[in-house]
Each structure stands twice: as C-alpha cells, then as structure tokens.
Amino acid sequence: MALFVDLNVVNTTDRKRLQSLIETAAHLGYSTVALNHVVELQGKRQEIAKPTSVSELFPSPPIVQGRSKPIKIMTRLTVIVSDASHCNDLRSTSPHTRSYDVVAVLPKTEKLFHVACMTLDVDLICINVVEKQPFHFRRPSVNGNIIMSSAAERSLELRGPYDIANLGLLFGLSEGDAKAAVSTNCRAALLHGETRKTALGVIYTVRKAPAVEEKDEERPLSKRAKTKSD
C-alpha cells in the first residue's frame, strides 16, 4: 500500500482549523503532512522564526484511514526570494532553517530559479501554478522529481491522494509519475531534509599497514642485544 504525503498544509494560528485540516488529511489516507510556514524575504539578515511545536498542537494525532498508525506531522519553511542577496541570507540562516523538516524556496525571477536549481541546498523548489510566471521553464531545470501538494487552508480544500494523482495526468504526467508526485517523491524530499539537518561531514578511516621490520644492522646496539639469544 502506497504511503501518501501532502507537503503543503498552510500553517495558521487558528488551532481548531489546523486540527480539522489534519484530521481530514488523515481521514483521506495521507500518512504524512507538512505544516507550511511562508516567509517573504525583504531586508538583509531577516530573522526566520522557529517552527511551531507540533507536539504541543497535537498531543494525540489522528489515526490514518486504513492504517493503524497516527499521521506524521512535519514542519516546512517556504522562503520567497526576489533578489540574489536573499539566496545568501538563506544559506547564512542555516541554524534557523535546520529546525524545519523541509525547506523550500520560491524564486520570483528566472535567474533566481536557475540559482535555486543549481546551488541552493534546499529540499523543494516551488512553482505557483495558479499564477502566470514572468519566464518560461526550461526542461533541464525541471527534469527532477515533481511533487504535488494542496496548499489547503481549510478542510474542504483537501482532496484524496488518488484524486491528486489523477490531476497529474491532466498535467501530462504518466500514471506512475503522477502517483509518485504524492508518494515516493515526497518521501525523497523528506529524506533529503533529514540528511540536510543532520549530516555535518564524513570521516574516512584507513587501517595503517604494519610497519616493515627493521633490519638487525639498522637497530641500536641496545635493542640488538635484547633480541639475540644466549
């Protein structure tokens, strides 16, 4: 059975609405959702707030429909960038972004989109499909795995994972790619986020070869005397 994921449930201060969203997602069969916190960078060195504590919001998450496990609730940060300096700010705020499970970037220009694809260490690169973009997307830049999410603010805006996969067919995805867009590709993004948060370096060790025994005549006289038998 596939594990379905929605990586964009809009975070809100309305606790009851948020709980209703999570309960609906679990009822529809989503095993994991991400609460999305959106920040539009404006000035330099802009502070990024820490994510809301999920354990405080949901001490007992609802059980996923058709499964015996509770839904997993992750945190996501989406940073809107409109200037090249914002990319530097995104790199320099790693202590803040590291506290989120998923980090996404939404570039506003073609140049920034290319920078995001090639250099930024983020988990997702966002495209707002409901707005006309000021540039065309080149196939090599978007040739990686694709995910689809709801951006739901209310329970009625959520759709079942199979409905979302069927929508992917209308976008030109194959049946397998459309299903992966709400399952395996999402889990790959979560795994990338986990390694981004925890991987600090790699230590490579090599066993040292045993030293070549010194020739007897090259040893000091004191050592030669100890090795000779009477």
Side-chain angles (χ1 to χ4, degrees), residues 21-37:
L21 270 170
I22 302 303
E23 290 172 357
T24 302
H27 179 73
L28 290 173
Y30 289 99
S31 64
T32 305
V33 295
L35 303 181
N36 190 17
H37 178 69

Side-chain angles (χ1 to χ4, degrees), residues 23-101:
E23 290 172 357
T24 302
H27 179 73
L28 290 173
Y30 289 99
S31 64
T32 305
V33 295
L35 303 181
N36 190 17
H37 178 69
V38 182
V39 174
E40 184 168 5
L41 294 180
Q42 306 252 339
K44 295 182 178 180
R45 301 293 179 185
Q46 184 172 336
E47 290 293 329
I48 296 177
K50 293 183 178 180
T52 305
S53 174
V54 173
S55 60
E56 293 180 5
L57 281 175
F58 304 97
S60 300
I63 301 298
V64 178
Q65 180 74 19
R67 299 178 61 84
S68 59
K69 296 181 179 180
I71 190 171
K72 289 184 178 180
I73 306 170
M74 318 297 283
T75 58
R76 166 179 165 176
L77 171 69
T78 299
V79 181
I80 302 174
V81 295
S82 56
D83 187 84
S85 62
H86 296 161
C87 296
N88 295 326
D89 291 339
L90 185 61
R91 294 190 188 98
S92 65
T93 54
S94 58
H96 301 88
T97 59
R98 194 175 295 160
S99 58
Y100 286 86
D101 298 306

Side-chain angles (χ1 to χ4, degrees), residues 100-175:
Y100 286 86
D101 298 306
V102 178
V103 175
V105 61
L106 197 161
K108 302 294 285 185
T109 67
E110 183 174 10
K111 182 179 179 180
L112 291 174
F113 179 78
H114 180 74
V115 170
C117 290
M118 298 299 163
T119 64
L120 289 184
D121 185 19
V122 293
D123 309 312
L124 295 173
I125 299 172
C126 304
I127 300 172
N128 192 340
V129 295
V130 299
E131 295 180 0
K132 184 177 181 180
Q133 301 300 312
F135 60 94
H136 295 286
F137 299 103
R138 298 176 182 177
R139 187 170 182 82
S141 299
V142 293
N143 205 29
N145 293 334
I146 296 173
I147 75 163
M148 293 187 292
S149 55
S150 65
E153 297 182 23
R154 295 174 176 83
S155 299
L156 292 176
E157 296 174 350
L158 283 170
R159 294 294 180 270
Y162 288 104
D163 293 335
I164 301 298
N166 289 333
L167 185 62
L169 300 177
L170 300 179
F171 294 153
L173 298 178
S174 67
E175 184 176 352

Side-chain angles (χ1 to χ4, degrees), residues 185-226:
N185 292 351
C186 298
R187 295 202 301 274
L190 290 172
L191 179 61
H192 186 276
E194 185 177 346
T195 57
R196 174 185 48 78
K197 290 172 61 177
T198 58
L200 300 177
V202 177
I203 299 176
Y204 180 65
T205 60
V206 178
R207 180 177 295 180
K208 187 177 180 180
V212 179
E213 187 176 354
E214 295 177 47
K215 294 181 180 179
D216 191 66
E217 59 270 17
E218 294 176 351
R219 296 188 200 172
L221 289 174
S222 58
K223 289 188 177 181
R224 272 189 258 172
K226 292 180 180 179

